[in-house]
Amino acid sequence: MSNLADEIVVAPDARLKTDCTPIEKIDDSVRVLAEHMLEVMYETDGCGLAAPQVGETVQLVVIDVDYTRNKRNPYVLVNPKVIVADGEERETVEGCLSFPGISVHVSRPSHVVVEAYNLEGDLMRYEAQDNLLAVCLQHEIDHLHGKTMLDHLRPLERVRKMREFEEAKEAGAQPGETGE
Ligand code: ZN
């Protein structure tokens, strides 16, 4: 059995620190990559995945915040842009497939509007407030700009979490495990 979790780029890795390239043309290679990312995301129980997390430094994100075994509702976002990020800051607990074994408290704006192309080339608009989608959109789009959830922490907390992550990795934590 192939283990799709092995395809996840785990920190530290330069690809997770890269400002990713916009996609110029939505062709078959983009569709194949999106399909692959969805497969990896579902296999690892993630609610979102950004292309650099599978080693491709292009602006592509997949998200599905409410799938079950029988029902999937995937969003594919090509070149997503945060148009609005406002509302009260909310702190939630986030995990990341590229940081197996830890979860961190991250504070983000509670309301977000995102524009992105879908695989048909239509410009789509996503709006979310006070829910997992609002968090997930911001978390994944951060990845396209070389930013991870740890970059939102205060310096001391970041150092502490990096140490916890190194220990979890040493202990064999796999993508999808959040340590809580
Ligand atoms: Zn992540």
Side-chain angles (χ1 to χ4, degrees):
M1 200 179 101
S2 75
N3 187 359
L4 286 170
D6 290 343
E7 315 245 334
I8 299 280
V9 172
V10 168
D13 188 293
R15 290 168 291 184
L16 298 174
K17 298 261 177 213
T18 302
D19 207 6
C20 296
T21 316
I23 290 170
E24 279 181 20
K25 189 164 170 288
I26 300 168
D27 56 16
D28 280 346
S29 71
V30 176
R31 281 183 277 270
V32 167
L33 176 59
E35 214 32 69
H36 176 63
M37 286 166 59
L38 283 168
E39 216 184 329
V40 173
M41 180 186 77
Y42 289 123
E43 172 85 13
T44 51
D45 292 326
C47 62
L49 190 65
Q53 293 183 279
V54 292
E56 301 291 334
T57 52
V58 295
Q59 293 188 12
L60 184 63
V61 158
V62 297
I63 288 179
D64 191 342
V65 289
D66 59 353
Y67 59 92
T68 61
R69 184 188 252 279
N70 301 311
K71 192 183 123 288
R72 293 179 170 181
N73 182 28
Y75 296 157
V76 176
L77 290 82
V78 179
N79 301 341
K81 278 194 177 59
V82 176
I83 304 299
V84 176
D86 61 9
E88 226 173 282
E89 293 264 326
R90 291 256 190 285
E91 188 182 275
T92 55
V93 179
E94 299 184 20
C96 179
L97 293 170
S98 294
F99 289 89
I102 63 165
S103 52
V104 302
H105 292 258
V106 180
S107 194
R108 300 183 187 271
S110 54
H111 171 244
V112 65
V113 178
V114 167
E115 280 185 357
Y117 292 91
N118 65 15
L119 287 178
E120 281 70 50
D122 308 313
L123 186 60
M124 309 291 285
R125 208 176 162 91
Y126 302 87
E127 183 163 18
Q129 174 138 31
D130 285 317
N131 56 18
L132 181 57
L133 181 60
V135 174
C136 200
L137 283 165
Q138 295 177 74
H139 178 121
E140 300 309 332
I141 293 171
D142 272 355
H143 274 302
L144 302 182
H145 303 288
K147 198 167 175 183
T148 71
M149 60 185 191
L150 292 190
D151 295 317
H152 287 272
L153 304 179
R154 285 180 235 277
L156 276 177
E157 178 67 0
R158 187 182 328 158
V159 168
R160 199 175 70 78
K161 279 291 169 186
M162 273 312 284
R163 201 176 304 134
E164 190 185 322
F165 168 58
E166 291 303 332
E167 283 166 11
K169 221 168 39 161
E170 198 103 322
Q174 293 298 308
E177 298 174 15
T178 56
E180 271 187 10

